[in-house]
Amino acid sequence: MKIGILAVQGAFIEHQKKLESLGAQCVEIRQKSDLERVSDGLVLPGGESTVQGKLLRELDMLGDLRSRIEGGLPVLATCAGLILLAKEISNDDHVYLGTLPVTVERNAYGRQLGSFRTVREMEYVGQVPMVFIRAPYIKTVGKDVEVLAEVDGRIVAVRYGKQYAMSFHPELNEDSKIHEMFLKECRREQQIF
Ligand code: GLN
């Protein structure tokens, strides 16, 4: 099983370590041609969405990534990755991949002071630790988007087909349940659709 991890900027190593510890093979995606080696899934890590989006545009990768996702490649998107997927960003004019019908608000919990951790229930996985770092939150969801978790009345995780997106960082703690769920999706073992 080969999972691609977008590695142009941000917290990609942590995702890679976690997926490798669960037995997956990872491919770091730094340029367009790297995508050809990805067969089973894609991770869009946290970081800075403006920087990631600019690099993806310069590297001419947005179109290829979008068509792989629209073609059914499972995606795990965290924090900035969620912003890259979103169809609309309420406090920013950019749209990057636009494959996920949600509106997100960037830096919705303030700057560094807005960073926090908590433990909450998430659909399909149960209780998980959630680390928020200058996180976005999901303001509105479109048709067929399933809400997987909320924190204090704000949506923080969703699923749309095979796209899983969350405002927090599941790679920055010891818990592996979210990555396990994602690998099941990539192996097409999941029966939840
Ligand atoms: N604040 C970042 C952005 O807007 C996201 C932060 C993160 O990925 N931890 O892109």
Side-chain angles (χ1 to χ4, degrees), residues 82 103-106 108-109 135-139 154-156 167:
L82 157 66
T103 304
V104 295
E105 174 138 331
R106 289 187 61 205
Y109 297 93
Y137 84 99
I138 300 161
K139 274 182 121 167
R154 287 180 159 185
I155 301 169
V156 297
S167 342

Side-chain angles (χ1 to χ4, degrees), residues 22-104:
L22 295 169
Q25 236 185 305
C26 296
V27 177
E28 287 185 5
I29 305 175
R30 298 177 186 277
Q31 55 190 6
K32 206 170 167 166
S33 56
D34 295 332
L35 258 178
E36 289 157 20
R37 292 187 288 138
V38 174
S39 47
D40 304 289
L42 176 68
V43 175
L44 301 177
E48 199 52 47
S49 57
T50 46
V51 178
Q52 294 180 355
K54 184 170 179 283
L55 289 168
L56 290 178
R57 197 160 280 141
E58 284 170 9
L59 293 162
D60 189 29
M61 288 167 70
L62 284 171
D64 283 18
L65 281 168
R66 192 178 298 123
S67 48
R68 291 295 300 269
I69 296 169
E70 285 173 348
L73 186 69
V75 187
L76 177 67
T78 64
C79 209
L82 157 66
I83 298 170
L84 292 185
L85 283 186
K87 266 212 155 71
E88 195 180 330
I89 307 171
S90 61
N91 50 350
D92 194 321
D93 289 337
H94 289 101
V95 176
Y96 301 101
L97 295 164
T99 54
L100 181 67
V102 299
T103 304
V104 295

